[in-house]
Amino acid sequence: QVQLVESGGGLVQAVGALRLSCIVSGRTFSDYAMGWFRQAPGKEREFVSTISRSGAITYYADSAKGRFTISRDNAKNPVYLQMNSLKPEDAAVYYCTARTISTGTEEREYEYWGQGTQVAVSS
C-alpha cells in the first residue's frame, strides 16, 4: 500500500512564502515521479508542478512559474514545493501525487494521492 502525507500548509500574508513537503511510504521513493496539484473552493483541481524520478526534469503551471520551485531528496524521501511571492489566488488545498513511469500534468496520470494540506493567503 502506497501512502502519501503532506505537511507545511498554513496562513501567510500576500508575497510571503511557504514550503510544503510530502513523504511517500510503501515503495521506494525514487521509483516515483512526483507532483503537486491544488484545489480552491468552488474550483476544479489543477496542476501545479511535477518532478521526475531523478529530479532532473521539472514542469510548472503558468501560474507557478517564477514563484514556485519543486525539488526532491531521494536519500531522505521528501518532495518539496517552495512557494514564494504568494498571492491570494494561491489559496487552496495542495495535494501531493505520485506516478511510476514519468512526469505528467494531467490528474488522471497520477496513481497515488495524499489527503492534502491547506494553504491560506491573506491580502
Side-chain angles (χ1 to χ4, degrees), residues 5-98:
V5 180
E6 305 98 330
S7 62
L11 172 65
V12 298
Q13 193 169 3
V15 309
L18 285 173
R19 188 178 75 164
L20 307 183
S21 63
C22 175
I23 296 174
V24 179
S25 63
R27 293 289 189 276
T28 302
F29 177 64
S30 59
D31 288 344
Y32 298 94
M34 304 294 296
W36 290 94
F37 286 72
R38 68 187 183 188
Q39 186 169 25
K43 296 184 178 180
E44 295 184 348
R45 190 175 298 183
E46 64 177 350
F47 168 76
V48 177
S49 185
T50 186
I51 188 166
S52 65
R53 293 182 296 277
S54 70
I57 302 172
T58 60
Y59 295 98
Y60 297 91
D62 288 342
S63 61
K65 290 179 180 177
R67 300 187 300 121
F68 294 3
T69 302
I70 189 169
S71 62
R72 66 190 297 165
D73 184 343
N74 286 349
K76 297 182 177 181
N77 189 310
V79 60
Y80 302 100
L81 184 68
Q82 178 67 46
M83 304 187 294
N84 297 328
S85 301
L86 283 162
K87 306 174 181 179
E89 306 94 274
D90 296 317
V93 176
Y94 283 71
Y95 296 91
C96 182
T97 67

